[in-house]
Amino acid sequence: MSDSATILLVDDEPSVRESVQAYLEYSGNLTVKVASNATNAWEILQTIIPDVIISDIMMPEVDGYQFLEKLRDDPRFQSIPVVFLTARGMTSDRIKGYNAGCDAYLPKPFDPEELEAIVNNLLERRKVNGKAGSDSAKLEEIAQEIRELKEQLGQQQNNLTTTPPPIKIDLTPREQSVLDLVAEGLMNKEIAARLETSVRNVEKYVSRLFSKTGTNSRTELVRFALKHGLTE
């Protein structure tokens, strides 16, 4: 992995903490913070938000299940992947762990290479999910801008004179369809479903529309199209 990530390891056995920390930090891509119990771990969580939490289940005072429940009840930590380590490898224990909300379950004794593979997989999945969430938020923001733009132009309709485009723009039927749907505030995935084509094809048509209209964003494209009567 190329990006550095922070791991919080919670285990009451010093030998486990030391060996796992040394192994995971060996590559240089992971920083491991350690806690000897859930209470100590919770204190650490007030200062850092790790990318993955590895926790033992059988711990004094607050066990792993109770710790996980507290994590899942706090909005700050709900999405952090959690790996359970335990000496209890019964199927019923694993089911209880998954039902509690853990993302992976590794019975002791375990191969540290397997643990590292699990951690890297969870980190990669977290990265992908984070990007998808960010992209979705950005697309929704663009859609909202388009809706507000159309509302503003609608309010100014009495004073707005539609003028022909400064240059002749010939759009193919498919480009026109894509433009109309972009003006409705639909995103590429929704347009692809409406037109029964691929998202890649939609991206190609939107790129062509940018080129033909001299615009650089969906909002600019819609503003240009509405102003010059290319769509309604």
Side-chain angles (χ1 to χ4, degrees), residues 17 25 38 61 63 70 102 115-116 125 147 149 156 173 176 179 188-189 192 211 225:
R17 294 197 302 272
E25 288 188 338
E61 297 183 11
D63 66 22
K70 191 173 183 179
C102 77
L115 175 60
E116 183 180 36
R125 191 173 69 190
R147 289 192 291 268
L149 173 60
Q156 300 170 1
Q176 184 65 58
L179 176 59
N188 291 352
K189 186 176 181 180
S211 179

Side-chain angles (χ1 to χ4, degrees), residues 51-176:
D51 297 286
V52 173
I53 294 174
I54 302 171
S55 176
D56 188 20
I57 290 181
M58 304 299 292
M59 295 185 293
E61 297 183 11
V62 179
D63 66 22
Y65 297 119
Q66 295 169 318
F67 178 49
L68 179 57
E69 182 179 2
K70 191 173 183 179
L71 287 171
R72 295 304 183 232
D73 285 341
D74 193 313
R76 295 173 297 171
F77 313 124
Q78 286 175 347
S79 64
I80 299 177
V82 174
V83 180
F84 268 160
L85 301 179
T86 181
R88 302 176 62 178
M90 298 291 290
T91 300
S92 59
D93 294 324
R94 293 198 299 272
I95 291 174
K96 184 177 180 181
Y98 289 126
N99 285 337
C102 77
D103 296 86
Y105 193 109
L106 199 56
K108 298 177 181 179
F110 56 86
D111 185 334
E113 188 174 354
E114 181 180 3
L115 175 60
E116 183 180 36
I118 290 173
V119 168
N120 285 336
N121 179 61
L122 291 172
L123 288 171
E124 188 62 30
R125 191 173 69 190
R126 183 171 169 83
K127 185 191 302 181
V128 170
N129 290 341
K131 183 179 185 301
S134 177
D135 289 347
S136 296
K138 182 61 178 176
L139 292 176
E140 176 55 33
E141 181 181 337
I142 293 173
Q144 180 61 29
E145 289 179 0
I146 291 174
R147 289 192 291 268
E148 292 175 355
L149 173 60
K150 295 184 72 173
E151 183 178 344
Q152 291 171 4
L153 291 176
Q155 293 173 352
Q156 300 170 1
Q157 188 172 9
N158 293 334
N159 300 323
L160 180 64
T161 302
T162 300
T163 59
I167 58 174
K168 182 175 176 58
I169 299 179
D170 293 321
L171 301 179
T172 67
R174 182 48 63 99
E175 289 171 347
Q176 184 65 58

Side-chain angles (χ1 to χ4, degrees), residues 5-68:
T6 299
I7 311 299
L8 174 59
L9 170 63
V10 191
D11 199 297
D12 60 337
E13 296 182 45
S15 60
V16 173
R17 294 197 302 272
E18 293 170 8
S19 61
V20 171
Q21 181 180 31
Y23 189 90
L24 293 182
E25 288 188 338
Y26 181 76
S27 67
N29 294 323
L30 300 176
T31 298
V32 180
K33 303 293 184 180
V34 296
S36 59
N37 54 59
T39 301
N40 181 209
W42 195 256
E43 293 172 352
I44 293 175
L45 286 169
Q46 307 316 302
T47 60
I48 65 166
I49 296 182
D51 297 286
V52 173
I53 294 174
I54 302 171
S55 176
D56 188 20
I57 290 181
M58 304 299 292
M59 295 185 293
E61 297 183 11
V62 179
D63 66 22
Y65 297 119
Q66 295 169 318
F67 178 49
L68 179 57

